[in-house]
Amino acid sequence: MEKFEKNEENERNEYQATLLKNRVQKKFRALRKWARKNLVTCFRLYDRDIPEIPLAIDLYEFLPEEIRSAQEAFAFVSNQAKDESQNIPGAAQKRLSRTYLKIFLYERPPQHQKSEAEETQWLSEICAALSDALGIERSHIVCKIRRHEKGGSQYSKENSSQGANAISARQNANPQITGNVFEGGSIFFINLSDYIDTGLFLDMRKTRALVKSCSQGKRVLNLFCYTSSFSVAAAAGGAAAIESVDLSNTYLEWSKKNFSLNGISGKSEFKFFRSDVFEFLEDAIRAEKKFDMIILDPPTFSNSKKTRADLDLNRDWSALANLCIKLLDENGALFFSTNSRRLSFDRNLLEENEQLEIAEITQETLDADFEQKKPHRVWEINKR
């Protein structure tokens, strides 16, 4: 009986690996054309398309180490796209040698849980199928489990004490995989191995482009800034001043690295603050600060010991938004985004309602690789 069940499990694994391989090959062919045309080097390749395969798969093309500026990166990516479109021999292979996959295994419901050994074997076969499907080295595939736990930080670092709770299908002697990627005219530092998230939320690509497009001469405030990709976009768009706020020293240092990569570090008008966001906003109101643009992209939940209270965005979003609105100058804009599916946006909870123009712009912020899933929602709130 045990041997029969084992054979059945092996057949099921093989079948699912084949299903995923075919699906990923089809999507890659379509998305690669879009990515090459739009100079997109990182994109979502698969997102739980097949219910039995609860994975999200992101693809990252690292820049060569010798690329030292955003201008060099733009030239390199443009030339790479041109070479591949002209079928220059070896062009695609060079790109693949710098390509990595980050796989998120979503925690299975209790009735479909696998043992650690079964999950490890399943992931091994899945990774082999992906390597074969895309021509990517297996050592370039990193796998993490994204759990449904409430609490903690969305940016938490994994550590060795997690053991089996952080099953990795990465076959690499080097425990750390990091590199730089190009997006929208800027360079961002990526860490694929040490954290659940990599330093760049790919679903916010078009929102960053929107921020960049309307930042010229603006005073910008970026709250819950994480690695400050929105701040980099605003600087690239010509912002006059930028304040980036986060509670984590690690991510503020990462933010400064991103600024340095783009040649915009050390400028007095670009400032970083380690602070609880509520406290920062209240202090800024007392100081009578004003901003032309505010980016509010909070985690859904956080219970850091460094804050005076837990953050539950489904409960607290309007309190945060109202504090931001008080800091907006005339004709200022607040971009509020969330990946919470339970958040109920009610404009009647916002103060100064008669002075506000509010529009949900979610659809305009979804790029080709996220159109089907809609992983976030975004509102633009203008103060008149």
Side-chain angles (χ1 to χ4, degrees):
M1 174 66 74
E2 183 177 343
K3 184 176 180 181
F4 173 79
E5 290 177 352
K6 193 69 176 177
N7 288 337
E8 187 177 37
E9 180 186 341
N10 290 339
E11 289 176 3
R12 183 166 56 248
N13 288 353
E14 183 178 350
Y15 171 70
Q16 290 181 358
T18 301
L19 274 181
L20 181 64
K21 177 181 177 179
N22 293 337
R23 178 68 174 175
V24 164
Q25 283 180 324
K26 181 179 179 180
K27 290 193 70 174
F28 180 77
R29 282 193 294 269
L31 286 171
R32 181 60 199 153
K33 292 178 182 178
W34 158 80
R36 187 170 60 213
K37 179 181 178 181
N38 293 281
L39 302 185
V40 172
T41 66
C42 313
F43 53 88
R44 175 64 53 91
L45 185 55
Y46 173 93
D47 196 349
R48 292 172 283 185
D49 303 23
I50 304 168
E52 308 96 295
I53 307 175
L55 301 173
I57 304 173
D58 292 337
L59 182 147
Y60 293 84
E61 296 172 14
F62 284 179
L63 292 166
E65 292 183 2
E66 61 268 21
I67 299 295
R68 298 296 181 186
S69 71
Q71 292 76 17
E72 289 180 10
F74 175 77
F76 175 82
V77 173
S78 298
N79 289 332
Q80 174 182 267
K82 181 180 178 182
D83 288 348
E84 287 201 50
S85 65
Q86 295 178 351
N87 295 316
I88 300 298
Q93 195 56 43
K94 287 180 181 178
R95 172 179 52 79
L96 287 172
S97 71
R98 294 178 285 99
T99 298
Y100 293 79
L101 295 182
K102 180 69 175 276
I103 301 176
F104 302 103
L105 170 60
Y106 287 87
E107 191 172 14
R108 301 177 189 272
Q111 65 271 27
H112 296 303
Q113 287 285 346
K114 294 177 180 288
S115 69
E116 179 187 341
E118 290 171 339
E119 200 73 277
T120 300
Q121 179 61 33
W122 184 81
L123 284 170
S124 179
E125 294 186 37
I126 289 294
C127 289
L130 290 171
S131 176
D132 186 48
L134 302 174
I136 295 174
E137 297 178 28
R138 288 192 66 177
S139 61
H140 286 199
I141 301 176
V142 181
C143 185
K144 303 289 184 182
I145 293 180
R146 189 177 288 279
R147 299 189 178 278
H148 299 301
E149 297 168 342
K150 184 176 181 181
S153 168
Q154 66 171 338
Y155 315 136
S156 59
K157 187 171 184 178
E158 294 196 342
N159 56 64
S160 58
S161 66
Q162 288 178 291
N165 290 332
I167 296 172
S168 175
R170 175 166 51 90
Q171 311 290 323
N172 198 311
N174 186 347
Q176 189 175 66
I177 297 179
T178 62
N180 298 329
V181 299
F182 176 83
E183 182 200 273
S186 299
I187 300 176
F188 298 97
F189 176 73
I190 299 296
N191 186 327
L192 296 180
S193 51
D194 294 345
Y195 304 84
I196 296 295
D197 293 308
T198 65
L200 190 68
F201 294 121
L202 302 186
D203 64 302
M204 301 303 287
R205 184 188 307 116
K206 289 189 76 172
T207 314
R208 285 188 286 272
L210 174 62
V211 166
K212 179 180 178 180
S213 71
C214 54
S215 291
Q216 182 66 44
K218 302 289 180 64
R219 296 161 295 172
V220 178
L221 175 61
N222 183 11
L223 301 167
F224 302 96
C225 69
Y226 185 34
T227 61
S228 293
S229 58
F230 277 117
S231 302
V232 170
I242 305 170
E243 296 188 14
S244 305
V245 184
D246 201 277
L247 198 57
S248 167
N249 268 333
T250 298
Y251 293 106
L252 290 176
E253 289 302 314
W254 195 329
S255 297
K256 294 171 185 177
K257 182 178 181 69
N258 280 335
F259 268 61
S260 179
L261 286 170
N262 291 280
I264 51 178
S265 60
K267 296 186 178 182
S268 60
E269 61 269 32
F270 298 156
K271 300 176 181 179
F272 300 90
F273 297 89
R274 185 191 185 197
S275 174
D276 171 71
V277 166
F278 275 105
E279 292 180 1
F280 179 90
L281 290 171
E282 290 166 356
D283 289 345
I285 290 169
R286 281 192 291 269
E288 299 183 348
K289 284 187 174 183
K290 290 295 179 182
F291 296 91
D292 305 301
M293 182 192 301
I294 300 177
I295 299 116
L296 178 62
D297 184 22
T300 301
F301 187 86
S302 177
N303 62 353
S304 171
K305 295 178 181 179
K306 299 172 185 174
T307 60
R308 65 189 183 192
D310 294 348
L311 170 68
D312 183 341
L313 191 63
N314 297 318
R315 176 194 67 204
D316 300 329
W317 73 269
S318 59
L320 277 170
N322 280 320
L323 290 172
C324 290
I325 289 167
K326 290 178 180 178
L327 289 173
L328 282 178
D329 210 345
E330 186 178 350
N331 297 318
L334 167 64
F335 292 101
F336 168 51
S337 62
T338 179
N339 59 8
S340 172
R341 297 181 183 276
R342 295 196 300 111
L343 188 144
S344 177
F345 186 93
D346 181 357
R347 67 169 296 150
N348 293 318
L349 296 177
L350 298 178
E351 300 169 5
E352 306 181 44
N353 211 310
E354 67 285 351
Q355 300 180 44
L356 303 178
E357 292 181 5
I358 302 173
E360 182 172 355
I361 59 170
T362 301
Q363 197 60 42
E364 295 95 308
T365 67
L366 296 173
D367 222 338
D369 50 337
F370 286 98
E371 285 178 337
Q372 302 303 316
K373 289 294 182 180
K374 297 184 179 179
H376 65 251
R377 289 179 290 166
V378 184
W379 289 266
E380 181 177 354
I381 301 170
N382 290 283
K383 187 175 184 179
R384 301 307 180 196

